[in-house]
Amino acid sequence: MCDPTLADCPEVAKVPDFWRRLNLSERKFLALDYDGTLAPFHPDPMQAFPLPEIPELLEKLSQRSDTTLAIISGRPLKEVLELLGDLAVVVVGSHGREVKKSDGSLTAIEPTDKQRTGLKAALHLAVQEGFEQHLEKKIGSIALHTRPLSPHRAAKLENIAFAKWSALAQHYDLECMEFNGGVEVRCTGRNKGNVLAELLDLQPSGTFSVYIGDDITDEDGFREIKGRGIGIKVGEPTTPTAAVGFLASCEEVRDFLRAWSLSDPTPVPHPG
Ligand SMILES: [Mg+2]
C-alpha cells in the first residue's frame, strides 16, 4: 500500500489525506492534462515530450483493473497521440472537440457555420498582423504560440491578438483566452470541463476521481470536478485556482503516478 510517510509517495499539498482516501476506494478515475502536467514546456511544441518514465507509468495505470485513465489536452488529438504514444485509454484533444475512446474509435465536434466564419476572420486578422508563422489551426480554435519569442515581443503579440480576437469573438460564438505560452481564440460550447463531466458521469458511483492540470483552461475541469472528486493544480499552492490540491512540477506528477501505480488495488469486499 502507498503510505504517505514513504519518501516516494509525494504529498498532495492541501489534501493531506489524499493517499488514505485513494487506498480506501475500490474504483478510481484519473484524468490528466498533457502540457505542463506530463510534459515540461519546450519552445517547439512538438519537442515537448513526456518526462522519462511517464509513458511507462501511464501504460501500467491503464492496465489496472481498479483505475480508469483519461488524457485531456488542448492540443489537437493527433499531436497528443504522436507525443505520448497510443495508449488504450480515452484521449481528448482540442479542449474536448476530439475524442479517442479506449477502443480506438474517434469522434469530433465540428464548429457551427457561424463559428467557422469567425475563425476564418480571426485567421485573416492574425495573418494581416504578420503572425502567420506563430499560428496553430485546430478543429475549433486558432492558437498564437509565443514561447520561442522574447518576453517583450511575446507580450506585444499576445496583447494585439487578444484585443483583435476578443472584439471579433463575441459576434461569432467564439471566446479569446490566454494560456501558458500564448493566446487562443476558440469556439464556445465545449471545454475541458464539459468533457470531464461526461467522463465522470460514466464512472460507477463512489469512484475516487481526480483531475490534474496546470493552466487556465484546466480551471473548467477543476470547477467541474468540485464536489465529485479532487482537482489538483500543477504549480505553487498560492496560485489562485478552483483546484483544491497542488503538485509542484511535472516531476512531482511523475512521482504521484508512480505512487498510484504501486498502490495496492483495494480488495472488493465479499458479501457475508
Ligand atoms: Mg497544460
Side-chain angles (χ1 to χ4, degrees), residues 20-264:
R20 188 184 62 80
R21 287 164 69 182
L22 178 95
N23 281 317
L24 287 173
S25 303
E26 196 181 302
R27 291 285 323 159
K28 295 136 193 165
F29 171 71
L30 173 60
L32 297 150
D33 166 50
Y34 180 77
D35 289 282
T37 297
L38 300 177
F41 293 108
H42 190 283
D44 176 354
M46 289 315 290
Q47 295 298 315
F49 292 105
L51 278 184
E53 199 188 333
I54 280 190
E56 292 76 22
L57 289 171
L58 295 176
E59 179 73 41
K60 220 170 148 185
L61 286 167
S62 74
Q63 288 170 5
R64 285 180 68 108
S65 59
D66 64 345
T67 300
T68 300
L69 191 62
I71 309 293
I72 303 180
S73 175
R75 280 184 188 254
L77 178 63
K78 193 169 135 280
E79 289 187 10
V80 185
L81 297 177
E82 197 176 321
L83 291 164
L84 197 54
D86 196 358
L87 294 164
V89 303
V90 175
V91 183
V92 177
S94 300
H95 305 291
R97 290 199 167 257
E98 299 175 290
V99 179
K100 182 192 78 74
K101 291 191 186 157
S102 51
D103 65 3
S105 61
L106 300 171
T107 52
I109 300 171
E110 297 287 342
T112 62
D113 288 346
K114 189 179 181 180
Q115 289 170 328
R116 214 183 288 275
T117 306
L119 289 173
K120 228 181 224 179
L123 177 64
H124 183 68
L125 279 176
V127 170
Q128 269 186 330
E129 291 293 334
F131 297 167
E132 193 161 10
Q133 59 172 315
H134 307 299
L135 298 178
E136 181 184 26
K137 285 161 256 175
K138 310 187 210 175
I139 185 170
S141 67
I142 301 168
L144 170 77
H145 291 280
T146 57
R147 196 172 298 283
L149 306 177
S150 69
H152 175 74
R153 179 131 177 86
K156 192 176 167 194
L157 267 60
E158 286 170 19
N159 287 340
I160 294 171
F162 195 86
K164 298 244 171 194
W165 283 348
S166 296
L168 181 90
Q170 51 187 317
H171 304 293
Y172 293 98
D173 300 337
L174 303 175
E175 60 190 345
C176 194
M177 300 196 67
E178 293 173 75
F179 64 92
N180 192 333
V183 173
E184 184 159 18
V185 60
R186 67 178 190 181
C187 299
T188 56
R190 192 73 178 160
N191 59 44
K192 289 182 171 184
N194 306 140
V195 76
L196 182 62
E198 290 166 10
L199 294 172
L200 288 170
D201 287 345
L202 296 174
Q203 309 313 313
S205 82
T207 298
F208 181 77
S209 299
V210 178
Y211 178 64
I212 308 182
D214 70 302
D215 208 347
I216 298 166
T217 59
D218 296 304
E219 293 297 324
D220 292 317
F222 297 144
R223 280 189 287 272
E224 193 56 51
I225 204 165
K226 260 201 170 143
R228 307 180 74 179
I230 296 174
I232 298 177
K233 168 110 178 162
V234 182
E236 293 306 313
T238 49
T239 322
T241 177
V244 296
F246 296 85
L247 291 166
S249 60
C250 294
E251 284 76 11
E252 281 202 5
V253 175
R254 178 200 55 208
D255 296 347
F256 171 96
L257 296 175
R258 192 191 297 126
W260 190 315
S261 77
L262 293 172
S263 67
D264 278 343

